[in-house]
Amino acid sequence: MIKHGSQDDAQRMMARLEAEQSRPMDDPAQIKDFPKYGRPLVQVGEVFGKAVAWTPSYGLVEWLDSSGKYRIGWAHASSIKRVKADEWHGSSGL
């Protein structure tokens, strides 16, 4: 669990800012956030993560890679699949 104000928390905030700056140029829609404790579990290809935010065309997904490093990035809405908790194989560290 990440404590508020921790170094991990600051790194995640910076990653989020970078992701927002690199959002797809063809999507001028307003970004809407999911609530922190209500983020949907998702799968994008082989990656299991949580949906952080969305627009009508894209979703912002966070996950931990195989080395445990925090990642966040945009995926086209058509490639994001919402999954049930028993189908999700992501890290509990999110």
Side-chain angles (χ1 to χ4, degrees):
M1 173 184 236
I2 295 180
K3 296 179 181 175
H4 181 67
S6 70
Q7 183 177 356
D8 285 340
D9 198 27
Q11 290 172 346
R12 288 182 183 202
M13 285 189 327
M14 291 302 297
R16 170 72 188 260
L17 289 172
E18 290 173 11
E20 286 184 10
Q21 292 173 353
S22 67
R23 72 184 278 207
M25 296 299 290
D26 65 341
D27 188 13
Q30 178 182 356
I31 298 171
K32 298 180 182 181
D33 289 326
F34 286 104
K36 183 173 183 173
Y37 297 106
R39 293 179 175 162
L41 302 175
V42 297
Q43 180 179 5
V44 182
E46 299 296 317
V47 172
F48 289 90
K50 292 184 179 181
V52 175
W54 61 279
T55 70
S57 301
Y58 293 92
L60 185 59
V61 177
E62 66 177 0
W63 72 98
L64 297 179
D65 67 16
S66 60
S67 68
K69 184 173 180 179
Y70 180 79
R71 304 285 184 181
I72 188 167
W74 291 99
H76 197 275
S78 64
S79 67
I80 301 172
K81 177 185 172 193
R82 193 178 283 215
V83 295
K84 296 178 184 175
D86 61 341
E87 301 171 319
W88 192 69
H89 302 290
S91 173
S92 61
L94 286 177

